[in-house]
Amino acid sequence: MVMNVPEISPDQPLAGIDVIKQDKLQRTGFAAAAVAALQRVSTTAGFVLSIEGPWGSGKTSTLSMMEQLIRADDKGGSVIVHFNPWLVGDRDSLLRQFLSAIASAIELADHAGNAKKVAKEIQNYAGVFDFVKWVPGAEPWASMVKGVMESAGRAAGGVADQMERDIEGQKERLEKALQKFDKKIFVFIDDIDRLFPLEVFEMVRIVKAVGQLPNIGYIVAWDSEYIRRALKSAAVPRASTYIDKIVQVRLPLPAISTNSRLTLLNNAIASLPEEALTRYFPKQDERLQSLYFHGLRELLEQPRDITRV
């Protein structure tokens, strides 16, 4: 017979209405500091913050705690957007899907006129780049106009005509609409480190392209070492510096304390079937304690390591 599963699973991110109460790794303070850094999001500029740690270190749980803290202290009704590029599956669709996710979240959160205006301008901005194979910011705007019109021809109607008149004007219209929008927009981007290298490069370029849009804060969760290797394999020179130019604040997850490691292990053991907890050997508990304090503890660097053990 399986005993009741404890509140925290070492292999599943925190979930539910109150994830703060489920924090067994003492990371609520870290999440609060990260949310405080998001105060730099303003009507004049956007802001990019990264939560960094190896795969399985608890980044998704930290994002959940950050979201709860934002909602708890949210007097203006901020818009929360979740985007997981790993679920898109099509590198060419990343930008369009990314901007569409933001537009949809704004429309769902606020049905007022300003919200509809912002959502429409975001969709128009996404439509501009349906005609191009690169992301804005990779080249000067002036040189992009020629490339756009060569690839799209003189396609009639809507965005194509508007793009021909003034491609940068579309970006300016979006910026003005966002400046008038009286809500902060926080975009949580998870699982970038599950993408293939070229997809990583594409997603990082997207963040670079839209990172300065006003009133929007971007929170990316990734393994920075994997991102660096992926960018390097995509022939990006000085990959580490490239990341620093995109992300304004980089926050590595704190190491798990000795007490937290022991708590996770005890919870995991308590969730085993009764047969696994039956005493088969003399001094069984002492043997397990000796094993833990003479080497096993050092192997449990991340929550997911508990599951492997």
Side-chain angles (χ1 to χ4, degrees):
M1 176 178 174
V2 179
M3 300 175 65
N4 291 333
V5 178
E7 289 181 331
I8 183 171
S9 166
D11 198 40
Q12 294 295 329
L14 298 182
I17 297 175
D18 193 351
V19 295
I20 298 296
K21 286 186 177 179
Q22 303 175 49
D23 177 25
K24 295 295 190 296
L25 303 181
Q26 292 86 50
R27 284 180 174 169
T28 301
F30 173 85
V35 170
L38 293 174
Q39 292 178 1
R40 292 174 60 180
V41 177
S42 69
T43 57
T44 58
F47 182 71
V48 182
L49 178 147
S50 63
I51 303 297
E52 304 184 356
W55 194 54
S57 59
K59 298 186 294 295
T60 301
S61 295
T62 301
L63 295 189
S64 296
M65 287 191 286
M66 289 178 64
E67 180 178 348
Q68 181 177 335
L69 291 171
I70 290 172
R71 293 187 185 278
D73 191 38
D74 191 9
K75 298 179 178 62
S78 299
V79 177
I80 302 294
V81 184
H82 294 277
F83 183 72
N84 191 319
W86 189 59
L87 300 177
V88 174
D90 180 3
R91 184 164 64 98
D92 292 336
S93 299
L94 275 175
L95 177 62
R96 183 173 64 255
Q97 294 288 344
F98 178 68
L99 293 175
S100 293
I102 298 175
S104 297
I106 292 173
E107 285 189 302
L108 286 174
D110 190 336
H111 299 290
N114 283 344
K116 293 181 179 180
K117 172 68 173 176
V118 171
K120 179 181 178 181
E121 294 298 346
I122 291 176
Q123 294 288 12
N124 287 342
Y125 191 55
V128 168
F129 298 102
D130 279 341
F131 291 102
V132 295
K133 297 301 182 183
W134 55 85
V135 175
E139 297 187 24
W141 281 94
S143 66
M144 288 184 66
V145 176
K146 179 180 178 181
V148 168
M149 300 317 298
E150 286 179 352
S151 60
R154 293 187 57 81
V159 173
D161 290 340
Q162 179 175 302
M163 186 172 54
E164 183 177 11
R165 291 193 302 270
D166 183 5
I167 189 171
E168 190 168 3
Q170 183 60 62
K171 182 183 179 184
E172 292 176 356
R173 280 184 284 275
L174 173 56
E175 289 174 343
K176 289 180 180 179
L178 284 168
Q179 288 168 351
K180 293 179 180 179
F181 192 50
D182 60 352
K183 299 179 185 295
K184 298 287 180 64
I185 303 165
F186 296 107
V187 185
F188 289 86
I189 312 171
D190 200 1
D191 286 340
I192 298 179
D193 48 12
R194 290 192 180 194
L195 302 174
F196 290 112
L198 288 179
E199 294 171 328
V200 169
F201 181 40
E202 197 73 18
M203 193 64 231
V204 170
R205 292 171 73 192
I206 289 172
V207 174
K208 179 178 185 292
V210 301
Q212 288 304 309
L213 289 176
N215 266 338
I216 305 183
Y218 307 88
I219 305 96
V220 299
W222 58 30
D223 179 343
S224 59
E225 179 58 26
Y226 176 79
I227 300 301
R228 186 193 65 79
R229 293 198 307 267
L231 293 176
K232 186 176 180 180
S233 70
V236 176
R238 298 184 294 278
S240 297
T241 304
Y242 190 83
I243 296 175
D244 288 332
K245 289 181 178 179
I246 296 169
V247 182
Q248 280 75 56
V249 173
R250 300 177 61 181
L251 297 177
L253 281 175
I256 301 176
S257 68
T258 300
N259 287 339
S260 295
R261 297 184 196 189
L262 186 56
T263 298
L264 287 178
L265 183 60
N266 284 336
N267 285 350
I269 291 174
S271 69
L272 294 172
E274 287 185 358
E275 293 80 7
L277 303 176
T278 301
R279 295 182 179 276
Y280 293 103
F281 307 102
K283 298 183 178 181
Q284 182 167 304
D285 291 342
E286 289 86 343
R287 291 185 180 192
L288 181 58
Q289 291 177 11
S290 178
L291 176 64
Y292 176 77
F293 287 107
H294 288 82
L296 180 59
R297 178 174 57 182
E298 280 63 40
L299 298 178
L300 307 179
E301 295 182 353
Q302 309 299 342
R304 192 154 290 162
D305 294 333
I306 304 290
T307 301
R308 293 172 179 160
V309 170

